[in-house]
């Protein structure tokens, strides 16, 4: 039992690299956070002292997923092995503070853009994350963002920060950068290690950051077998082409001054080079890749900024309902999902078994290398 509640040894002691990836989607982040409660409970049933950061080599997220990644990987206090938030606490955070994050400007200020001034989120991020920096997280994190002045993606990666010190920014700055959705929240400007940033939502580079995280792993850790859990924030049944009148007005003001940004996003030049930086035979073995997404989200829940209590409660129910749904994969010819013969909850439970076994294996090998008695005699 002495092995429990210890940091996860590096992949060199194991057979696999484990990655958790969380999409962007604003308040719809409640959906993946609710799914993660099931995984957290499954792992705590094996070791009550553990957290998700004890099992994943990388936690990656974009926008709301980026904020969530930081909440799950930041230490609760300096030197602590306990994360700032559990998945359950993340859900409570959204439901408690969502209305303040997405609180409209006063009526006399409604003509201004972006839609929200972002002050509450900025203050809350700094209050919670304090001075903690990227190199102080409990596990590796990979957070995409996009510099709207330099017109290229910026990937805040624990791997890159070891040699590119300007990326070793405060977690509060990284979280505010990746979540700065154009027309909704202001861009986030800050300076770190002599480098000036003007960053917007990571979704402009990669709303689903899974491949970014995998690429980082292979670029910096070599080609090892990957365990990948990728969580979405819901795809509506029928997408509305335009938002409300307020959104259209903000878009009309923002777009003319950001043509280069839109052009880069449309052609994804830099991100394509980023993906091609790693050459490997396949993403991950199919049995090691679990994507959980609601492909038929009620359009009434589509808005990323609808923080009404009823909507947030419904999003939580969507997350709970996903657990009972069959695992879905995308047909690469038709791009339509098809079902596998197991539920998402069953798949998560199997993933928990793999994560637990991998962690025990690493602890045993590390102990043997150090010449002491193995913490765990059998796997």
């Amino acid at each position: 039992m002495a092995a429990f509640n210890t940091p996860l040894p590096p992949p060199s002691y194991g057979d696999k690299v484990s990655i958790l990836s969380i999409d962007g989607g604003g308040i719809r982040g409640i959906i993946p956070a609710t799914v993660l409660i099931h995984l957290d409970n499954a792992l705590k049933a094996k070791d009550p002292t553990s957290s998700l950061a004890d099992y994943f080599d990388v936690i990656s997220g974009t926008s709301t997923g980026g904020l969530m990644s930081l909440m799950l990987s930041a230490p609760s206090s300096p030197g602590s092995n306990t994360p700032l938030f559990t998945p359950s606490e993340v859900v409570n955070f959204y439901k408690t503070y969502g209305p303040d994050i997405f609180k409209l400007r006063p009526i006399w200020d409604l003509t201004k853009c972006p839609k929200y001034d972002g002050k509450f989120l900025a203050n809350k991020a700094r209050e919670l994350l304090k001075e903690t920096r990227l190199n102080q997280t409990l596990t590796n994190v990979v957070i995409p963002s996009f510099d709207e002045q330099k017109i290229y993606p910026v990937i805040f990666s624990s791997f890159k920060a070891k040699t590119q010190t300007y990326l070793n920014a405060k977690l509060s700055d990284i979280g505010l950068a990746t979540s700065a959705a154009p027309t909704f929240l202001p861009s986030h400007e800050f300076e770190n290690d002599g480098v000036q940033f003007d960053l917007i939502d990571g979704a402009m580079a990669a709303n689903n950051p899974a491949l970014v995280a995998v690429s980082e792993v292979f670029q910096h850790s070599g080609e090892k077998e990957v365990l990948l859990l990728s969580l979405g924030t819901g795809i509506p049944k029928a997408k509305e082409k335009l938002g409300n009148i307020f959104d259209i007005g903000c878009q009309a003001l923002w777009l003319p001054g950001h043509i280069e940004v839109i052009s880069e996003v449309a052609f994804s030049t830099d991100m394509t080079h980023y993906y091609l930086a790693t050459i490997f035979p396949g993403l991950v073995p199919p049995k090691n890749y679990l994507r959980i997404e609601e492909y038929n989200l009620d359009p009434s829940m589509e808005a990323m900024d609808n923080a009404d209590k009823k909507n947030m409660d419904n999003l939580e129910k969507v997350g709970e309902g996903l657990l009972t749904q069959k695992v879905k994969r995308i047909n690469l010819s038709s791009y339509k999902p098809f079902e596998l013969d197991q539920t998402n909850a069953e798949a998560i439970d199997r993933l928990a078994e793999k994560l637990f076994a991998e962690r025990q294996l690493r602890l045993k090998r590390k102990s043997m290398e150090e010449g002491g008695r193995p913490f765990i005699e059998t796997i």
Side-chain angles (χ1 to χ4, degrees):
M1 296 297 291
F4 294 157
N5 201 28
T6 58
L8 179 67
S12 58
Y13 290 99
D15 294 334
K16 302 175 179 67
V17 180
S18 50
I19 302 173
L20 168 62
S21 173
I22 310 170
D23 288 10
I27 199 65
R28 300 202 315 268
I30 290 173
I31 296 174
T34 303
V35 172
L36 283 175
I37 291 174
H38 185 90
L39 176 59
D40 191 48
N41 289 339
L43 292 170
K44 280 187 167 59
K46 303 174 186 302
D47 173 11
T49 69
S50 66
S51 69
L52 294 180
D54 292 320
Y55 292 96
F56 285 102
D57 294 298
V58 178
I59 300 180
S60 180
T62 293
S63 194
T64 193
L67 285 173
M68 200 182 309
S69 297
L70 298 176
M71 295 162 80
L72 295 172
S73 62
S76 57
S77 60
S80 172
N81 286 332
T82 304
L84 189 62
F85 282 80
T86 65
S88 179
E89 290 168 340
V90 171
V91 173
N92 290 336
F93 175 88
Y94 278 110
K95 297 182 77 172
T96 301
Y97 298 113
D100 293 305
I101 294 171
F102 296 113
K103 184 177 181 180
L104 283 173
R105 297 171 181 271
I107 191 168
W108 60 84
D109 205 27
L110 283 178
T111 57
K112 292 185 178 179
C113 288
K115 191 173 181 179
Y116 308 102
D117 62 25
K119 292 180 181 178
F120 181 87
L121 180 59
N123 291 334
K124 184 57 66 175
R126 293 178 182 124
E127 172 193 331
L128 293 171
L129 297 167
K130 299 182 173 61
E131 299 297 307
T132 307
R133 290 185 176 270
L134 183 58
N135 65 352
Q136 296 173 304
T137 53
L138 300 178
T139 189
N140 299 298
V141 298
V142 175
I143 310 289
S145 60
F146 196 96
D147 196 306
E148 65 174 354
Q149 295 301 318
K150 299 170 184 174
I151 317 299
Y152 58 66
V154 177
I155 310 296
F156 289 98
S157 159
S158 298
F159 302 102
K160 281 183 167 60
K162 294 174 183 177
T163 56
Q164 302 175 44
T165 56
Y166 70 94
L167 293 175
N168 187 32
K170 292 181 183 179
L171 298 187
S172 58
D173 285 323
I174 296 173
L176 293 172
T178 192
S179 60
T183 78
F184 288 93
L185 291 166
S187 65
H188 186 58
E189 299 181 36
F190 67 99
E191 183 270 338
N192 189 58
D193 197 30
V195 175
Q196 188 68 35
F197 295 98
D198 183 1
L199 302 178
I200 56 176
D201 196 342
M204 303 298 286
N207 194 54
N208 178 344
L211 192 53
V212 178
V214 171
S215 184
E216 278 293 296
V217 165
F218 281 124
Q219 287 181 54
H220 297 89
S221 301
E223 292 189 16
K224 293 182 72 73
E225 187 174 342
V226 170
L227 282 174
L228 173 60
L229 172 60
S230 175
L231 303 178
T233 58
I235 298 175
K237 299 176 184 177
K239 287 183 176 292
E240 296 179 9
K241 299 301 180 183
L242 294 173
N244 59 36
I245 294 175
F246 184 93
D247 293 335
I248 295 172
C250 280
Q251 290 163 4
L253 290 172
W254 185 81
L255 290 174
H258 296 78
I259 296 300
E260 290 181 295
V261 175
I262 299 303
S263 176
E264 172 60 20
V265 171
F267 295 101
S268 293
T269 304
D270 286 308
M271 289 310 296
T272 299
H273 289 312
Y274 184 85
Y275 296 144
L276 293 178
T278 302
I279 304 298
F280 50 90
L283 179 63
V284 288
K287 62 183 175 61
N288 287 357
Y289 173 50
L290 176 59
R291 170 70 173 174
I292 298 181
E293 175 71 284
E294 174 52 70
Y295 293 97
N296 291 294
L297 185 69
D298 189 315
S300 68
M301 289 183 267
E302 177 183 11
M304 60 166 280
D305 58 341
N306 182 358
D308 290 343
K309 183 180 183 305
K310 181 179 179 182
N311 187 62
M312 292 191 293
D313 288 343
N314 286 337
L315 290 170
E316 189 173 9
K317 291 176 182 176
V318 169
E320 293 168 349
L322 272 172
L323 296 170
T324 64
Q325 290 185 22
K326 295 288 188 180
V327 174
K328 293 183 176 67
R329 290 275 168 83
I330 295 294
N331 183 307
L332 295 181
S333 296
S334 66
Y335 293 95
K336 294 181 180 179
F338 64 92
E339 293 184 346
L340 302 184
D341 191 26
Q342 62 177 322
T343 66
N344 286 318
E346 291 170 338
I348 289 174
D349 291 340
R350 293 179 185 179
L351 174 63
E353 294 284 349
K354 292 180 180 179
L355 292 170
F356 185 71
E358 174 68 15
R359 183 165 186 254
Q360 286 188 312
L361 176 65
R362 293 188 195 184
L363 291 168
K364 179 179 180 180
R365 287 177 175 173
K366 187 173 188 295
S367 176
M368 294 176 68
E369 181 184 275
E370 293 173 347
R373 181 182 177 185
F375 289 131
I376 300 166
E377 299 295 338
T378 59
I379 301 299

